[in-house]
Each structure stands twice: as C-alpha cells, then as structure tokens.
Amino acid sequence: MLSRMNDLLAAYAGAGIAVLGVLLVLSFLVLLLQSRARRVQANRLEQATRLLKNIKPSAGVENNLNIILEIYSGIVDSHGYAFYLRDDSQQKYLLKSVRHLHDVKGRKVAPTYNRLAPDKKETYQPPISLSVEGIGKEMDVVQEGRVPLLSIPIAGGKGLIRIGPIESISGSVRKRLEFVNELLPQVVDVLVETDRMKIQTDIVVTSETALRSVSSMALNADAVMKKTLEMFATSMGISDAFISFQAKGGFHVPVLFGWTASQENAIYQDREVGAQLWRAIAQREDVVIRPNNAQYPKLSNLLNVRGQELLLIGKFTDSIRTGLLVCRVDLAGETELSEEQYATSMRALTKALSRLLRIQNMIKPMTNNYIDLMKLLSKTIDDLNPYTVGYSELMSRYSIIIAQELGLPQREIQDIALAAYLSNIGVLGLSEELYLKEGKFSEIEFEKMKLHAEVGAEIIEMLLGNQAVASYVRYHHERMDGHGYPEGLRGSEIPMGAKIIAVVQTFLAKINGRKYRTPLPFDKALELLKNAAGSQLDPQAVDALVRWYQKKRSAVKTTGQALGPCWEMTCSTAEVCANCPAYGQVHLNCWEMDTNNCKAHGKSCESCFVYTEAMARRNALGGKVV
C-alpha cells in the first residue's frame, strides 16, 4: 500500500514537473515573442522617426524621394532603386529619383547618381516613364525584360517604387516594407504640393524680378546697357567687356564685367586707356584690333592684356552723348564663330543700343508707351546670336499670314502679331546662362525655362494692359491634347492666337538651325508640321500655313527662283545685309552668287530653307525649270 502511494506521488510529481516545464517553455516563448514584437515595434518606430526627421519639403521633391529610397535600401539589399510619381495628364508614372548602391562586383559603394543622370556601370537602368496600365496595386516581383524587379505601388496610385534586380523577399522584409509603405501617401502628398507651391512662388518671384528689370530699363540707361551687354557676351562667349563715355576730366564707365582687378583699375582710372580707344576707332563706327595691328601693343599694355586676343570696339550714341563698347575675345579659347560674325554682331549691338537709348529718352515722360521698347528688346535678344537673327520678326510675320488665312478680324490679327513678336519677352526674367544654354535642359532647368511664358504674360499685362496679347503669350506652349504648359489646356480651351504662335514657333524650330542642331529641309519640316496637327498643334492653323505656302509656291513653280528675296524671307538685319553681295540682287538667287554673307547670321546655303524649298520644287520637276 505504501509502495503504491509512493508510486502515485512520484507519478504526480513527474506530471507536475512536466507541466511546470511546459509552462516555463511557454513563458519563455511568450517573453521571446513579446521581445521580438517590441524589437519590431522599435524598428518600425525608428524607421518612421528617420523618415519624418529627414524629410524636408523645402529641399525639393527629388532630394526627399532619394531619402525615402535610402530607407528602402536599408531594408532590401539590391542593386538599383527608382521612385516614380504619377502624372495624371499623361497617365504615366514619371521617373523622379534613382539610387544605385552596388558596383558590378557587388561591393557596397556610395550612391552613384541621383535623378536622371546615366551611369554605364549599372546593370539595370530604369525607364524614364511607365504606363499606368498594367501596374498592380499590391507589392510583387515583376519582370521587366529579363530583369526581376520588386514593384511597390504607393497607396492611392500616387507613386511607384521599383527595386532590382531581385528574385524574392522574405516575409519579415515584406512586413517592414509594408509598414514604411503605409507612411508614404501622406508624405508624397506633402512633397508634391510643396513642389507645386514652390513653382508658383518661382513664377511670382521671377515675374516681379522681370517687371523690376523692364521698369528700370524704361527709365535707367545703365540698366539697358548692362542687360543688353550681358546677353551679348553670354551669347557670343565673351567674358570681358565694358562701356565707356567721355566725361569732364576723363571717362565714365557705367558697365564693366569680367576683367581682373588690375584691369578694372586701369579702365576706371587711367585716362590714357579711354584716349587710346577713341584714337583706335577714330571716325569709324566699329573696329577689330588684332594682335598684328599697330594700336594693339599700346592697348594691350594699358589693359594688361596678354596672349592672342581680339579687341572689339563699337561706337553708339543716344543723341546726347557718344559711348564706346569694348569687348575682349580670347583667340586661344574654344569658339566656332568667325571674326566677321563677331564684328557683325557687334555692329548689331551698337545700333540696337543707340536705338534703345533714344527710345528710352523719348518714353521717359510717357511711361505707358512700352511697346516699342519691348519689341526692340526682343529684337536685340534675337540679334545677339547669329542663329536667332530676325526670329521675333519671323514669328510676327508668319502669325499674321496664318491669321489672315483664317479670316480673323483685323484687331485680333494686330494683337496676335504683337504677341508673336513678344512671345519670348519673358526670358528677361531668366538668367542668360539658362536662356542661352545649348543642348538639352535638365529637369529643373526645363521647369524654370517654362516660366518664361507666364512671366512674359505678366510683363505684358502690367506694362501694356492688353489681356488678349497676354493670354496669347501665356498659352503659346499649350498643346491640343492637353499635355502642354502652364495649365494643361486642351483644344478649344486654348486661345486661337496662342495656337497660331505655337504653329509658327514649331515650324521655325524645324527650318532654322542652331550651333548644335542642323535645320531640316523645307518639305520635311512642313511634313512634320502636318503630322503634329491634332495632337500638338491646331489643325486649322497648320492647314492655313500649308495652304498659304502652296499658293505662294504655285506662283513660282517652274521658275527655279526662291519664293522671295532671302533677306526678306529670313528677316536678316541691316548689319548682315549691308555686307552681302546678294542683297538687292534680283537676277540671281542668293546661293548662285560667288559669295554671300549667310554665315554672319548662322546659315549656310545647303541647309537654309530658302534654298531647300526651291530645290524641292526643282526636284519635283525632275530638275527642269523655266
């Protein structure tokens, strides 16, 4: 009996110990799970804190998106990370920020680039845009070509993150990603709205700057001279220039930039500098002082100039006083412009300065009469660069042609002509480096460049009070399909004047070249213009221009002659035409002359639309002309 009791107690004791063991294990598991949950929560809190702490709306959308990608790179170890934001007008996701954290050998390195800059070392380059269609709503591994990518949609379809190459992710990583992803919609909303407000602020600030600039130029001669000379220098690649007037007891220098401190001191204080410059130009309007000229050693010594350089000197007057404009061209620097191009542009600048200052003297008592000043400023901007000579005049002429073909009222035609001439006046609010940049703009530069339409409209509204002209300038970069700017107007929402200007601007961009771009043959340009009708351009306005050209070409179909004198068709300046043997010639086409002055305004016969149009008619007749 006692033995049986002992066995029973032993059994109960064993069971108790087993239960106790189970309880201890369960308790340990609970504590472990609680500890793990606390670590997860702490990790999530750390991620959220880091995200909120590092996000600074004032830093811009792209910089903040890069910070978000950095957080994702701490969760998922991969090669590349891309952040897209949705553009509802295009129904696409647009690439806004990119990070790469590994080189080709897998060694962890610093980010190789941000935004859209290419890096040939990377094995995967995200596309610039993705169609909204086909993008799922859940996190998933997808294939882009042969590359597996982790696709992470932002809730509400506001954005998309792509990480890759990556084959799969663990459950724990997925949970961490989902947690961070829950924070993003509100953050993205704030960033996008902040960026939109920043752009609007830029418009206001730029408009105010431009208005102050134009207003000061209306009343301040020094402001006119400074702005025009700076644009000329930037356009022509000239780094050193100044303007000098004779004054009692010496010389007055209101504008000077680019020279060294010792050179500035000589220009400001040494009266012999001014005296030698006036002796060099003598009775001429302009002169080029070369290293082999007799005056060069004396001037180069006075100005502390060394090396192989040209000194350009031009004379101008405002009816009250006469001034000299002096520029230094470093022949050792990279330049594709000839001495004749420099001299021609200098003559254009001095004549423009004389006219600007004379008009300024006239309008000082009539501050409401800004039209002539604004048109002359637009023309001056054009004529500073050989490749844009006559641009504003061409814009106005072609716009009148289209408006007349459409049968618009005379008053509306006048407003359209003025708006076309002033369509680029807003660049006065931009930096010269931005407006005169060659090649493609970066994304930020393009956004700033787009401001010129609204800034120009603001200038016109404030100075002319013509709402119609202002609206044509404001909306001349809108598109028929709604993908233009600044407001994304479409179709009938766009004023007809703006539609006409858009057609002319597109056409001129195709038939006129730049230093970095060869113009298209005339018929090719016309064909591309017709192809853009309906999506980008207004079909009626395009058809009106094409119809006008067809009528004009029919009149000279079999003659082999140009449609008109080249100096009229290209709106060349008097400075270009005065030295051109083709000017005034009525029996020969300009390209049939032994020599011409095409290069002085950035053209060559082989690519000029005056020539390519005539050759297209001749080729259509099998080379036979009457």
Side-chain angles (χ1 to χ4, degrees):
M1 185 71 179
L2 184 60
S3 175
R4 188 175 295 176
M5 286 289 295
N6 288 335
D7 290 341
L8 188 59
L9 289 172
Y12 280 127
I17 291 173
V19 170
L20 181 61
V22 169
L23 291 174
L24 289 173
V25 170
L26 290 174
S27 298
F28 176 77
L29 290 175
V30 169
L31 291 173
L32 184 63
L33 291 173
Q34 289 178 339
S35 175
R36 182 177 179 183
R38 284 194 295 271
R39 287 200 303 274
V40 169
Q41 293 297 327
N43 184 266
R44 290 183 174 182
L45 182 61
E46 179 186 354
Q47 291 172 353
T49 303
R50 183 182 178 189
L51 178 64
L52 296 175
K53 180 179 179 181
N54 290 330
I55 294 297
K56 296 178 180 178
S58 60
V61 170
E62 289 81 6
N63 290 328
N64 285 298
L65 295 183
N66 193 49
I67 292 172
I68 294 173
L69 289 181
E70 182 181 354
I71 294 172
Y72 276 87
S73 70
I75 301 174
V76 180
D77 190 16
S78 187
H79 189 281
Y81 306 78
F83 207 125
Y84 294 82
L85 289 180
R86 178 167 176 153
D87 186 315
D88 289 328
S89 66
Q90 300 186 47
Q91 286 298 295
K92 289 182 178 181
Y93 286 106
L94 302 181
L95 184 63
K96 292 294 184 178
S97 186
V98 179
R99 284 179 63 85
H100 288 294
L101 298 183
H102 294 274
D103 63 13
V104 292
K105 297 180 181 179
R107 180 173 52 87
K108 195 124 180 177
V109 295
T112 55
Y113 71 91
N114 184 23
R115 295 174 50 75
L116 308 180
D119 190 320
K120 297 180 180 178
K121 292 183 178 181
E122 308 300 343
T123 58
Y124 168 66
Q125 291 295 326
I128 297 298
S129 64
L130 295 168
S131 175
V132 171
E133 297 180 4
I135 302 295
K137 296 183 179 181
E138 303 295 333
M139 186 187 312
D140 197 8
V141 176
V142 299
Q143 290 287 133
E144 185 172 301
R146 300 176 61 182
V147 181
L149 301 171
L150 179 61
S151 180
I152 308 176
I154 308 300
K158 304 174 190 301
L160 176 70
I161 295 173
R162 287 281 183 90
I163 302 174
I166 189 169
E167 298 287 349
S168 61
I169 56 172
S170 66
S172 60
V173 169
R174 178 180 288 272
K175 289 181 179 179
R176 293 174 65 187
L177 291 173
E178 289 174 347
F179 173 77
V180 175
N181 216 35
E182 290 174 1
L183 302 174
L184 290 187
Q186 293 80 12
V187 174
V188 171
D189 279 345
V190 171
L191 292 179
V192 171
E193 179 62 18
T194 301
D195 193 60
R196 187 190 67 79
M197 293 175 63
K198 182 177 182 298
I199 291 174
Q200 294 298 320
T201 301
D202 284 344
I203 293 173
V204 173
V205 172
T206 305
S207 299
E208 291 177 349
T209 301
L211 286 170
R212 286 195 297 270
S213 177
V214 174
S215 296
S216 66
M217 283 189 281
L219 302 172
N220 186 331
D222 289 357
V224 169
M225 292 185 288
K226 183 175 185 295
K227 187 65 176 181
T228 53
L229 185 54
E230 285 176 348
M231 289 191 295
F232 172 75
T234 303
S235 174
M236 303 296 290
I238 293 172
S239 58
D240 311 315
F242 68 88
I243 288 175
S244 176
F245 290 97
Q246 290 180 327
K248 186 177 181 179
F251 296 89
H252 171 57
V253 181
V255 180
L256 179 147
F257 58 83
W259 304 85
T260 65
S262 61
Q263 290 169 331
E264 285 188 12
N265 185 61
I267 292 168
Y268 280 127
Q269 299 183 19
D270 191 342
R271 287 185 293 178
E272 186 61 20
V273 171
Q276 285 294 330
L277 290 171
W278 280 96
R279 292 192 192 103
I281 198 169
Q283 301 302 314
R284 291 167 290 186
E285 294 300 314
D286 56 82
V287 65
V288 178
I289 306 296
R290 306 172 186 84
N292 59 354
N293 289 139
Q295 305 100 324
Y296 189 85
K298 181 71 173 178
L299 282 171
S300 62
N301 184 58
L302 288 170
L303 293 171
N304 296 317
V305 172
R306 298 290 183 269
Q308 294 297 307
E309 298 163 328
L310 294 178
L311 289 176
L312 307 176
I313 309 174
K315 187 187 300 182
F316 64 96
T317 180
D318 62 0
S319 301
I320 299 174
R321 55 182 182 166
T322 301
L324 292 185
L325 188 154
V326 183
C327 300
R328 184 178 68 88
V329 178
D330 186 357
L331 296 178
E334 294 185 5
T335 177
E336 297 181 5
L337 299 178
S338 66
E339 182 179 313
E340 178 59 26
Q341 286 176 318
Y342 280 116
T344 300
S345 296
M346 167 70 83
R347 285 191 289 273
L349 176 60
T350 53
K351 289 182 182 300
L353 273 176
S354 294
R355 291 193 294 267
L356 282 169
L357 295 175
R358 287 169 187 166
I359 290 176
Q360 184 190 65
N361 288 335
M362 293 169 56
I363 69 171
K364 281 181 180 178
M366 303 178 294
T367 55
N368 292 327
N369 187 10
Y370 280 95
I371 293 179
D372 286 344
L373 175 62
M374 293 171 68
K375 290 183 72 172
L376 189 51
L377 284 170
S378 292
K379 184 179 184 300
T380 301
I381 294 171
D382 299 340
D383 294 348
L384 295 181
N385 188 315
Y387 295 91
T388 56
V389 167
Y391 179 80
S392 295
E393 183 65 34
L394 279 172
M395 284 290 302
S396 185
R397 288 188 190 181
Y398 275 114
S399 295
I400 292 172
I401 288 167
I402 295 175
Q404 289 176 337
E405 281 288 320
L406 293 173
L408 300 181
Q410 186 60 34
R411 176 60 187 173
E412 188 174 354
I413 293 175
Q414 291 174 353
D415 284 344
I416 291 171
L418 179 58
Y421 205 109
L422 302 179
S423 56
N424 280 340
I425 194 70
V427 302
L428 290 173
L430 308 177
S431 68
E432 287 76 29
E433 290 76 13
L434 178 61
Y435 172 59
L436 296 169
K437 178 180 178 179
E438 296 178 358
K440 294 184 177 180
F441 294 114
S442 69
E443 187 174 339
I444 290 178
E445 288 173 336
F446 182 58
E447 290 300 320
K448 289 183 178 180
M449 190 63 197
K450 290 194 311 189
L451 296 177
H452 82 276
E454 293 189 80
V455 172
E458 293 289 339
I459 292 173
I460 291 167
E461 284 182 346
M462 293 293 292
L463 301 183
L464 304 184
N466 190 320
Q467 297 298 318
V469 173
S471 70
Y472 301 155
V473 171
R474 175 174 282 111
Y475 299 124
H476 76 276
H477 280 289
E478 299 287 2
R479 291 170 51 109
M480 294 295 288
D481 57 14
H483 292 166
Y485 64 86
E487 296 183 15
L489 303 182
R490 63 174 64 238
S492 60
E493 297 173 340
I494 308 170
M496 179 52 73
K499 294 177 183 178
I500 290 173
I501 294 173
V503 170
V504 177
Q505 192 171 71
T506 303
F507 182 60
L508 293 185
K510 297 182 186 303
I511 64 172
N512 288 318
R514 293 290 187 272
K515 188 187 299 184
Y516 56 88
R517 172 169 54 78
T518 302
L520 295 174
F522 179 84
D523 278 6
K524 179 66 174 177
L526 212 58
E527 187 63 29
L528 291 176
L529 193 74
K530 290 188 285 186
N531 292 341
S535 58
Q536 177 185 351
L537 304 173
D538 179 72
Q540 288 183 302
V542 171
D543 183 63
L545 180 61
V546 173
R547 187 169 61 247
W548 177 83
Y549 260 121
Q550 287 172 341
K551 290 186 292 187
K552 193 168 181 64
R553 298 178 85 180
S554 295
V556 293
K557 186 174 182 180
T558 61
T559 66
Q561 293 294 311
L563 288 181
C566 62
W567 57 90
E568 290 183 0
M569 293 185 67
T570 59
C571 295
S572 300
T573 64
E575 290 73 32
V576 171
C577 294
N579 300 313
C580 183
Y583 182 59
Q585 174 61 249
V586 295
H587 300 295
L588 292 174
N589 292 307
C590 54
W591 62 85
E592 295 171 335
M593 302 290 295
D594 292 335
T595 59
N596 58 44
N597 207 28
C598 291
K599 290 186 178 180
H601 58 123
K603 297 187 183 299
S604 65
C605 288
E606 294 76 13
S607 61
C608 179
F609 74 95
V610 179
Y611 172 80
T612 60
E613 185 281 326
M615 290 302 101
R617 278 186 285 115
R618 175 175 293 185
N619 293 336
L621 296 172
K624 298 178 181 180
V625 295
V626 179

